[in-house]
Amino acid sequence: MTKKWPVLDYLGWRDTCSALHLYLQVAGKYRLAHTPWINHSWHATFYVTPRGLTSSFIHDGPGISILFDLLDHRVIGTSGAGRTASFDLRPMTVADFHRDFTRLVSDLGGTPRFDGQPNEVPDPTPFAEDHRDRPYDRDAVARFHQALISIDRVFKRFRTSFLGKCSPVHLFWGSFDIAVTRFSGRRAPLHAGGIPALPDDVAQEAYDREVSSAGFWPGGGGIDYPAFYAYAYPAPGRYRFAPVKPEAAFWHEGLSEFILPYEAVQSAEDGDAALLDFLQSTYEAAADLGGWDRDMLESGLARPAVVRPSDAATMSAKVSLPQEAVERDDGSSKGRYHIIVDGVEAEMTYSRVSDTLVIIDHTDVPDQLRGRRVGERMVRQAVEDARREKFAIIPLCPFAKAQIDRHPEWQDVLHRS
């Protein structure tokens, strides 16, 4: 069923948005000061709840959690000693918020000592010295919260189809974005750092593994509208030219990321499906061009109360499956390998440069066949044909290249320049 996505007008509430961003930073800095480091700063984030955003459990004093209640517009703290303290979100200064927050932590039996400098904002002013009056638009904040609920729902569904290392769906208070990140399992080159008001060692630790990441900004930071984003680090060759969905998505040169305006999801007939298309197509661009082991890392989208079959069970089941033949359609300049399993077709296309040279250019394995090694079987068939017919292969398709890289015994058919 399609869920309703609220209208968001960043320019209409950007001053409130900026204020809420800084308030979350105050609470985030408190959590950061009392929580052991977890890879990629996952220990410092906030999480969407039906009422707003929560810090989750902070091990300070008796144990404390902080909730930004965006329905009743209050900051509520609870402790393991049974105490509750709160104050209103209202028009105020950041210094006022900082004062109220430190008092709340003290009232709960905690230690309100933490770094008082904002991160990832231009011209940062220490929280306690920021006396600029800030508005608080309750209606706009409520709409933002409703959007976060929808985004959290779709991001979490997208997360279910990945078996490798993957972040929680969480909100980073530094950049004020909700994100989910997938990892290839390989190390990444040292990040250059240089993110404004963020220590280089934090950025370098965050990006010390290859990633495909997607998220949502309410606006700001180079765009004056709410938008979804996707990027890869390190970005593989020709990543920016990859075809992505839906039609409204585009590559933003200034940000070096794919962007999908929130309005395209909000106005779509099925906003959930439009956002899933963006998440999946940008991930596939990163994974295919980056040579990720998709067969090992992926599964189908999960459903409630349905257990995902274990790999061992799936592989055992495959042994008893009929071994459908890989078919080949060979033309004078183009051709393809294809296989139909349970009524679903996968294919691998190629171009014939000459009688002695073939370029494998694309592999398409539908989600229903993921994990059944049909892509590997098509590559294997191409290798066997190359040996028999005495032609060489150039695997331009990242999937085919990754398969041949994993099988040294197939590499005798590679074209040697």
Side-chain angles (χ1 to χ4, degrees):
M1 181 177 68
T2 301
K3 309 294 194 303
K4 183 177 179 181
W5 292 74
V7 173
L8 297 181
D9 173 20
Y10 172 69
L11 294 180
W13 81 296
R14 61 180 166 184
D15 289 337
T16 294
C17 183
S18 174
L20 185 60
H21 181 190
L22 290 169
Y23 302 159
L24 281 163
Q25 290 216 9
V26 173
K29 287 296 187 88
Y30 166 64
R31 184 181 182 201
L32 187 66
H34 295 278
T35 309
W37 200 277
I38 297 176
N39 46 275
H40 319 300
S41 298
W42 294 354
H43 61 299
T45 54
F46 280 77
Y47 310 94
V48 177
T49 79
R51 297 202 66 87
L53 293 163
T54 182
S55 66
S56 76
F57 195 98
I58 300 169
H59 290 275
D60 176 36
I64 291 172
S65 68
I66 305 296
L67 171 67
F68 280 70
D69 186 330
L70 303 182
L71 296 182
D72 287 341
H73 305 283
R74 297 180 63 77
V75 175
I76 303 170
T78 55
S79 81
R83 299 179 186 172
T84 300
S86 65
F87 62 90
D88 289 341
L89 287 166
R90 62 195 188 277
M92 64 175 120
T93 69
V94 174
D96 290 337
F97 181 93
H98 180 265
R99 181 202 62 225
D100 290 352
F101 183 81
T102 56
R103 182 183 299 143
L104 175 145
V105 172
S106 295
D107 290 347
L108 294 172
T111 308
R113 291 197 295 268
F114 51 90
D115 179 65
Q117 188 82 1
N119 289 124
E120 299 185 65
V121 296
D123 304 317
T125 301
F127 302 127
E129 300 173 18
D130 189 342
H131 297 289
R132 173 187 164 192
D133 290 327
R134 310 270 180 165
Y136 189 80
D137 184 335
R138 295 165 66 99
D139 291 339
V141 169
R143 288 193 297 272
F144 173 59
H145 174 234
Q146 287 302 309
L148 288 179
I149 288 175
S150 292
I151 293 163
D152 184 77
R153 177 183 67 246
V154 177
F155 279 17
K156 283 179 176 173
R157 185 171 183 227
F158 171 67
R159 190 177 185 273
T160 65
S161 64
F162 196 74
L163 305 181
K165 174 181 170 181
C166 186
S167 78
V169 177
H170 48 198
L171 186 139
F172 286 101
W173 42 262
S175 47
F176 203 31
D177 59 323
I178 183 171
V180 61
T181 302
R182 293 176 169 188
F183 295 78
S184 73
R186 299 189 297 245
R187 287 185 171 87
L190 184 68
H191 193 278
I195 298 173
L198 184 70
D200 284 349
D201 58 351
V202 174
Q204 289 165 349
E205 191 276 338
Y207 291 106
D208 68 354
R209 297 293 189 274
E210 288 184 352
V211 303
S212 171
S213 188
F216 168 80
W217 289 309
I223 52 175
D224 288 331
Y225 52 88
F228 299 95
Y229 66 80
Y231 65 88
Y233 180 79
R238 301 194 64 77
Y239 175 66
R240 68 177 59 200
F241 302 111
V244 299
K245 299 176 182 177
E247 188 176 347
F250 66 94
W251 178 261
H252 192 292
E253 289 291 342
L255 298 174
S256 294
E257 298 179 346
F258 287 108
I259 294 294
L260 175 64
Y262 173 85
E263 184 180 11
V265 173
Q266 187 273 324
S267 62
E269 183 175 348
D270 188 336
D272 288 28
L275 178 52
L276 272 174
D277 279 348
F278 179 71
L279 299 173
Q280 184 64 28
S281 63
T282 53
Y283 159 70
E284 289 181 356
D288 287 342
L289 293 170
W292 291 28
D293 187 351
R294 295 184 60 185
D295 183 63
M296 181 65 70
L297 294 172
E298 297 175 24
S299 67
L301 291 171
R303 292 178 293 159
V306 177
V307 178
R308 180 187 69 81
S310 71
D311 278 354
T314 303
M315 293 304 296
S316 298
K318 289 176 194 172
V319 173
S320 62
L321 286 174
Q323 295 298 302
E324 294 84 351
V326 175
E327 303 290 343
R328 180 182 175 194
D329 300 330
D330 188 36
S332 58
S333 61
K334 299 281 188 180
R336 70 173 189 141
Y337 291 90
H338 57 106
I339 181 172
I340 299 176
V341 179
D342 297 336
V344 179
E345 184 180 59
E347 73 168 1
M348 181 177 73
T349 61
Y350 61 87
S351 299
R352 183 177 288 281
V353 179
S354 68
D355 289 342
T356 59
L357 183 61
V358 161
I359 297 174
I360 298 177
D361 46 39
H362 181 66
T363 303
D364 180 24
V365 177
D367 288 344
Q368 303 96 307
L369 301 183
R370 296 281 183 207
R372 304 182 72 169
R373 299 193 179 276
V374 296
E376 179 183 343
R377 289 178 59 193
M378 291 188 291
V379 177
R380 182 190 298 274
Q381 187 63 54
V383 170
E384 293 174 357
D385 290 349
R387 289 171 175 157
R388 185 177 60 256
E389 299 174 22
K390 302 192 183 316
F391 63 79
I393 291 174
I394 297 178
L396 286 187
C397 165
F399 174 84
K401 183 178 184 305
Q403 287 293 328
I404 294 175
D405 286 347
R406 285 198 294 272
H407 291 81
E409 72 276 14
W410 293 357
Q411 293 172 14
D412 59 297
V413 303
L414 289 176
H415 175 66
R416 310 294 179 184
S417 57

